Amino acid sequence: MLFGYWLEKEKCYFNLYEILKLVTEKQQHIVLRTENLSIGYVSKKEETIVASNINMSLYEGELVGLVGANGIGKSTLLRTLSNVQNPLKGAVYINDKNIKTYQPLDLAKVMSLVLTEPIASKNLTIFELVALGRQPYTNWIGSISENDLLEINKALELTNIQDLKHKKCFELSDGQLQKALIARALAQDTNLIILDEPTTHLDIYHKAYILKLLQKLAKETNRTILYSSHEIDLSIQLCDKMIVMTKDYVETETPCSLISNGAFNTLFPKDLISFDKKSGNFRVKK
Amino acid sequence: MLHNKTYTKSFIALTIVLVLCFFVNISLGSVSIPFNEVFKSLTGGLTANPSWQYIIQDYRLPKAFTAIIVGSGLGISGLLMQTLFRNPLAGPFVLGITSGASLGVALVIMGASIFSGILGMFLISKWSLVIAASIGSFLVLLTVLIVSTRVRDTMAILIIGLMFGSITTAVVSVLSYFSSMEQLQQYIFWGFGSLGNLSWQELAIMFLIYSLGVLLSVLSVKALNTLLLGENYAKSLGLNIKKSRLLIIITTSLLAGTITAFAGPIAFIGLAVPHITRQIFITSNHKILLPAVFLLGAIIMLICDSIAQLPSTDYTLPINAITSLFGAPVVIWLLVRKRKMLF
């Protein structure tokens, strides 16, 4: 417990140092920015607002975790950020350009997705799956060029699945498949990768493995990686920033400041569990 | 793992089999013609018996070409539908294209006299059947498409296709209740499917539309491969879903609609050939699948037609029965042997 507290403190200092570095260095490139964003659904009669007044700026090379209770609107937010559904108000900017002004093919070159839904055909080999990430760059029939091949191999290497590349998707475990899907997104060669719950169905080891992998990718390839997850304790340890979604507000901060301002306490109803600041974990009330 | 090299070998082998089947198909029939005479006739020489020349050039040759067009065209449209709807049960028949065509033809054959008397009789020609079948299949496919944008569940779309089949059967029974024996017989014969009876001119027109369909299917290869990931992934890769979907559906209705119009509703081929191809080539890449389906579809159709001829007898069985009788066990055998349903 004490050790965990020390770790957290250490991490906080480290993060403070990072922030100072950020401020002193010349301003970094903002990959994803939202401006007074309101998200929700429009039905025939009325609009249902899921969350409003969302402002965030995600810089390049950042790993960002989105956390919140079930049904709070994480998926809605991700769908809005990835242009699957329209914002009710406000706007989303990618590389300082409104997402609505992008041509579909141009958007595919700056943002890639890893979704929760399974891919339609499990008969693809891993290589074919990752190669499909190059679709925005290939010609009319989808031929793989030298450069495409280079990117595909790089993606396979970064996710450490070169040995699996001739395996079919149906032969893989959930963890391996998740890595392959991340490799596919990497091959798409975008500034921003958005993942919707990449750790579901995985055991604790693979959850940590995937999130650690995402952290490594964000650092090594200088991409912005945004994911939603229920792994709050793991995310606190690994993320540069976290987005906390509650009924009342959406806050984007470093994990340390979120801990110190008590944001995690408001995540869930307090009758069953509470956030333990020292260990960065949730505890069941006895 | 299969390398491209193995694919090349398979393609060469299939092409040779196709050519063989083509010759076997032409040499078999109710009139037995020696193989060397067949070969002579095909290479432009004169046969010993002038009527053989006629049989080969004006009957068996167009029939063999029709078989190739029908087999490959239905196979390709089945492949397109299975990928578009991401459902291994899809095919032109299941989705009601054939039902639509049948309804169109039934309306022309049996409905024309009820609705418009003399004008109706005038309407019943080969061409009016062709046009009715095309319009019918296109309308049904369009309806299924519109519905498919409303319901996300692919199983629902299949059920809707089956419902169209039921509606067709119902309308046809109402029509047949009011129509004469001759009309009924004409409709039933159309329903048997037939590869023969096409003149070179009709064959040329069918070939023209079919070629357009094949060309469009080649153009949709990239979209089809992207759709293997599912629609949301395809969208995130910059694919214009609406445009691609329309392209694929137009391609299918051109191929399946035209073939059904000229050759009648040929069951089974559209559903089975893509599966047989996937089992042999073990891939989902449409760059490989499309030409493979083309070759296998043509081969299977030629074999079915050869069987339907009941060589050396005077009988010709309905091609529709043969495709299912011969093809269904093949698919069952493949699935049982390989155990893995590839899609």
Side-chain angles (χ1 to χ4, degrees):
Chain A
M1 191 86 97
L2 208 64
F3 182 66
Y5 178 64
W6 177 80
L7 261 185
E8 278 317 311
K9 257 204 149 153
E10 197 69 350
K11 192 170 155 60
C12 287
Y13 290 137
F14 184 66
N15 268 333
L16 263 174
Y17 172 71
E18 286 272 291
I19 292 161
L20 277 174
K21 211 169 78 181
L22 269 183
V23 175
T24 47
E25 271 179 21
K26 81 179 166 192
Q27 206 186 1
Q28 260 189 310
H29 177 60
I30 299 176
V31 174
L32 178 77
R33 182 166 62 88
T34 63
E35 230 175 56
N36 297 324
L37 186 69
S38 283
I39 56 171
Y41 297 91
V42 186
S43 62
K44 275 169 201 159
K45 282 179 190 162
E46 54 191 332
E47 35 183 62
T48 317
I49 299 173
V50 171
S52 56
N53 222 6
I54 305 168
N55 288 294
M56 64 171 98
S57 296
L58 309 184
Y59 294 87
E60 61 184 353
E62 277 186 333
L63 178 68
V64 185
L66 166 62
V67 296
N70 282 332
I72 207 80
K74 294 192 298 293
S75 290
T76 313
L77 178 58
L78 289 188
R79 286 162 65 88
T80 313
L81 293 180
S82 55
N83 202 25
V84 176
Q85 73 183 64
N86 293 323
L88 297 179
K89 254 186 245 150
V92 179
Y93 296 90
I94 293 183
N95 295 335
D96 267 328
K97 192 174 168 207
N98 191 326
I99 201 167
K100 286 283 148 211
T101 60
Y102 274 97
Q103 290 296 314
L105 214 54
D106 294 328
L107 189 61
K109 290 176 185 172
V110 294
M111 178 177 68
S112 52
L113 304 180
V114 175
L115 306 168
T116 37
E117 64 183 46
I119 53 170
S121 169
K122 294 265 166 110
N123 194 25
L124 291 166
T125 64
I126 299 309
F127 183 84
E128 285 172 326
L129 173 68
V130 177
L132 281 175
R134 297 302 296 169
Q135 288 284 54
Y137 306 92
T138 55
N139 63 358
W140 65 275
I141 200 157
S143 301
I144 301 290
S145 70
E146 290 278 311
N147 184 41
D148 292 328
L149 200 63
L150 212 70
E151 291 287 341
I152 294 164
N153 284 328
K154 211 161 77 187
L156 289 169
E157 210 171 297
L158 279 167
T159 48
N160 208 11
I161 49 170
Q162 306 99 307
D163 303 342
L164 302 173
K165 71 176 176 183
H166 297 309
K167 289 240 184 204
K168 298 270 186 186
C169 286
F170 61 74
E171 296 174 301
L172 300 185
S173 69
D174 285 341
Q176 290 170 326
L177 193 60
Q178 197 58 262
K179 278 195 267 181
L181 287 170
I182 291 170
R184 191 209 62 83
L186 281 175
Q188 209 174 322
D189 195 17
T190 55
N191 299 125
L192 175 65
I193 301 175
I194 296 181
L195 306 94
D196 193 3
E197 305 211 359
T199 53
T200 25
H201 306 305
L202 301 182
D203 59 44
I204 178 79
Y205 173 79
H206 284 94
K207 275 177 178 160
Y209 184 97
I210 291 290
L211 294 183
K212 186 87 189 149
L213 174 69
L214 292 178
Q215 188 195 38
K216 182 189 97 167
L217 294 174
K219 293 289 158 282
E220 281 182 14
T221 65
N222 209 25
R223 289 170 217 223
T224 308
I225 298 179
L226 168 62
Y227 69 91
S228 66
S229 178
H230 292 294
E231 302 313 311
I232 296 171
D233 44 346
L234 287 175
S235 298
I236 287 173
Q237 297 173 57
L238 292 167
C239 286
D240 298 302
K241 261 184 202 160
M242 286 177 77
I243 305 169
V244 174
M245 264 189 115
T246 64
K247 254 183 269 169
D248 309 314
Y249 63 90
V250 178
E251 193 177 4
T252 312
E253 271 297 344
T254 59
C256 277
S257 19
L258 286 169
I259 292 174
S260 54
N261 72 15
F264 295 114
N265 285 325
T266 56
L267 263 179
F268 303 110
K270 291 193 176 61
D271 53 342
L272 263 183
I273 51 169
S274 64
F275 186 74
D276 180 26
K277 269 192 184 184
K278 285 179 194 157
S279 62
N281 270 328
F282 281 90
R283 299 266 164 213
V284 182
K285 282 189 178 165
K286 289 191 179 146
Chain B
M1 193 214 103
L2 285 172
H3 291 281
N4 281 336
K5 219 175 172 183
T6 337
Y7 288 138
T8 321
K9 266 186 205 160
S10 312
F11 277 123
I12 293 170
L14 279 182
T15 313
I16 293 169
V17 174
L18 176 63
V19 173
L20 276 177
C21 286
F22 183 74
F23 282 116
V24 168
N25 182 272
I26 289 174
S27 18
L28 295 177
S30 43
V31 179
S32 45
I33 304 172
F35 193 77
N36 57 339
E37 295 289 330
V38 173
F39 192 72
K40 231 191 251 173
S41 166
L42 287 178
T43 49
L46 284 174
T47 48
N49 187 338
S51 64
W52 289 353
Q53 182 89 10
Y54 173 78
I55 288 173
I56 288 169
Q57 293 199 338
D58 279 332
Y59 182 70
R60 289 190 189 176
L61 210 51
K63 189 163 64 65
F65 280 127
T66 311
I68 291 175
I69 290 176
V70 168
S72 56
L74 286 180
I76 289 172
S77 57
L79 176 69
L80 296 189
M81 287 293 95
Q82 286 174 7
T83 304
L84 178 67
F85 288 105
R86 295 177 295 286
N87 195 310
L89 277 179
F93 185 66
V94 179
L95 290 177
I97 297 180
T98 321
S99 312
S102 312
L103 186 60
V105 168
L107 279 173
V108 167
I109 293 179
M110 302 191 281
S113 59
I114 299 168
F115 297 126
S116 52
I118 301 161
L119 186 70
M121 295 306 287
F122 173 71
L123 274 173
I124 304 175
S125 68
K126 185 102 195 168
W127 291 114
S128 58
L129 292 190
V130 168
I131 292 163
S134 314
I135 292 174
S137 59
F138 184 72
L139 285 182
V140 168
L141 199 58
L142 207 64
T143 319
V144 170
L145 184 75
I146 291 166
V147 174
S148 75
T149 57
R150 297 263 168 110
V151 289
R152 282 272 155 214
D153 194 352
T154 33
M155 283 320 252
I157 297 163
L158 288 184
I159 293 169
I160 289 161
L162 286 174
M163 290 303 114
F164 271 108
S166 303
I167 294 171
T168 314
T169 323
V171 174
V172 169
S173 22
V174 170
L175 284 173
S176 45
Y177 184 75
F178 290 107
S179 53
S180 64
M181 284 287 276
E182 289 77 28
Q183 289 172 328
L184 213 55
Q185 199 177 29
Q186 197 184 354
Y187 176 75
I188 287 170
F189 267 87
W190 179 83
F192 283 156
S194 157
L195 300 178
N197 306 330
L198 284 190
S199 67
W200 280 105
Q201 192 201 0
E202 286 163 336
L203 188 63
I205 287 166
M206 178 157 89
F207 179 72
L208 208 70
I209 306 173
Y210 159 85
S211 310
L212 185 65
V214 172
L215 186 76
L216 288 178
S217 68
V218 173
L219 288 179
S220 43
V221 160
K222 185 176 176 179
L224 288 167
N225 277 338
T226 316
L227 281 171
L228 287 175
L229 293 177
E231 249 171 54
N232 287 332
Y233 272 117
K235 219 168 157 185
S236 83
L237 281 164
L239 183 76
N240 188 332
I241 299 278
K242 276 187 185 157
K243 216 176 87 186
S244 315
R245 195 193 267 166
L246 197 67
L247 177 71
I248 291 168
I249 283 195
I250 287 174
T251 310
T252 307
S253 55
L254 278 179
L255 287 172
T258 314
I259 288 163
T260 313
F262 280 100
I266 308 282
F268 184 78
I269 294 288
L271 172 69
V273 169
H275 286 298
I276 298 173
T277 313
R278 281 192 206 99
Q279 294 289 355
I280 293 176
F281 281 80
I282 321 182
T283 182
S284 288
N285 184 352
H286 289 80
K287 256 192 275 181
I288 307 292
L289 278 183
L290 198 72
V293 162
F294 175 94
L295 288 171
L296 268 170
I299 289 169
I300 290 170
M301 206 62 209
L302 281 171
I303 294 173
C304 288
D305 181 54
S306 307
I307 297 171
Q309 290 307 314
L310 288 177
S312 307
T313 65
D314 285 342
Y315 297 106
T316 305
L317 296 175
I319 187 73
N320 226 341
I322 300 300
T323 50
S324 302
L325 272 180
F326 170 76
V330 173
V331 173
I332 294 170
W333 174 70
L334 275 171
L335 286 179
V336 169
R337 200 177 59 114
K338 299 260 181 172
R339 276 158 202 218
K340 193 92 201 172
M341 175 79 182
L342 296 176
F343 175 63

